């Protein structure tokens, strides 16, 4: 029996990694797909590393090229975000919570819902089928929900996410709010990271009306530390526009305590796109936007509207 890889997006975040592990486990336990194996499309970030170590769960195996493989995609559905070789793979299912940018010649199971994390949908599947969640699975699903919803502060967070997280937290025996802060802090320091590491810790590619746009986000707890790295990060973004074929790059330095984002922009020469999309005026390629927390809800839709 050939393996079916359950895999999240490139630059994997905690939701992409934990959803892949828990959904592959669900597929095997229910017998829906005995060949399901969790995989990842890149390096594990420090937050995910903390979570997996905390619950003593092995990281999924890294898949560098998916050509010729069977795939179940979790936490994404855009081709630009898929593992390399996905265009030559056999995608048999999608489970996600993002905007839909997907096309395939043959019919498949495609499930998306506007909730705060893919892991919420997976936990609900376990509950519905009455499949027992052990502490490890409950723990990583909880951590992924807390991560994606920024401990319920993100505008993408819904009542369903909260309800599911509370149920999981009881199984694990932790206070979700306290544990959430612990999870988020694991990734929040920029010390010792190169500009490239910072940009690619959570970076996604989009196609807006034929333009190649990259949008990165890093969550921080110290805006001054982040601002001190601004020049360095902008330099790397400029290099990417010049050498890697991006039309524009947006980098969100999101302060999860203050609940706002220092937005760095390269490729928007007159600042007109930023002005139109966010009603914000760039100064030296950046602007602080109060209340901006979510790439998916507050950055992608206005960019798509402006550029698409
Ligand atoms: Mn994700
Ligand atoms: Mn997600």
């Amino acid at each position: 029996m050939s393996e079916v890889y359950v895999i999240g997006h490139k630059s994997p975040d905690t939701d992409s990694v934990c959803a892949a592990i828990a959904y592959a486990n669900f597929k095997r336990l229910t017998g829906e797909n005995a060949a399901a194996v969790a995989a990842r499309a890149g390096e594990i970030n420090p937050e995910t590393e903390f979570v997996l170590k905390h619950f003593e769960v092995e990281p999924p195996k890294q898949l560098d090229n998916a050509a010729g493989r069977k795939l179940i995609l979790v936490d994404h559905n855009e081709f630009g975000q898929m593992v390399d070789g996905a265009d030559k793979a056999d995608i048999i299912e999608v489970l996600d919570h993002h905007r839909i940018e997907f096309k395939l010649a043959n019919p498949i199971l495609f499930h998306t819902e506007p909730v705060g994390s893919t892991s919420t949908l997976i936990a609900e599947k376990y509950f519905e089928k009455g499949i027992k969640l052990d502490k490890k699975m409950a723990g990583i699903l909880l951590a992924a929900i807390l991560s994606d919803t920024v401990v319920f502060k993100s505008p993408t967070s819904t009542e369903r996410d909260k309800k599911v997280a509370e149920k999981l937290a009881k199984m694990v025996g932790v206070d979700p709010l306290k544990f959430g802060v612990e999870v988020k802090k694991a990734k929040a320091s920029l010390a010792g990271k190169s500009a490239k590491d910072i940009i690619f810790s959570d970076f996604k590619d989009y196609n807006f009306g034929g333009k190649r746009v990259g949008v990165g986000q890093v969550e921080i707890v110290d805006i001054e530390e982040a601002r001190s790295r601004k020049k360095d990060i902008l330099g790397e973004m400029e290099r990417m526009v010049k050498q890697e074929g991006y039309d524009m790059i947006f980098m969100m330095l999101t302060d999860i305590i203050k609940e706002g984002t220092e937005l760095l922009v390269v490729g928007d020469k007159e600042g007109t796109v930023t002005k139109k999309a966010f009603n914000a005026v760039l100064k030296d390629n950046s602007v602080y936007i109060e209340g901006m927390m979510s790439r998916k809800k507050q950055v992608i839709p206005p960019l798509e509207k402006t550029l698409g």
Side-chain angles (χ1 to χ4, degrees), residues 282-297:
L282 286 176
K283 196 176 163 246
D284 299 329
N285 293 85
S286 80
V287 58
Y288 182 78
I289 302 176
E290 190 77 49
M292 182 187 273
M293 301 277 286
S294 167
R295 171 171 49 199
K296 181 165 78 172
K297 222 163 181 169

Side-chain angles (χ1 to χ4, degrees), residues 9 13-16 19 74-76 96-98 115-119 144 147-149 204 296:
H9 52 77
D13 53 12
T14 300
D15 192 32
S16 256
V74 290
D75 198 38
H76 71 306
D96 190 20
H97 67 127
H98 292 90
V115 292
S117 84
T118 306
S119 293
S147 165
D148 252 26
T149 63
K204 289 183 180 175
K296 181 165 78 172

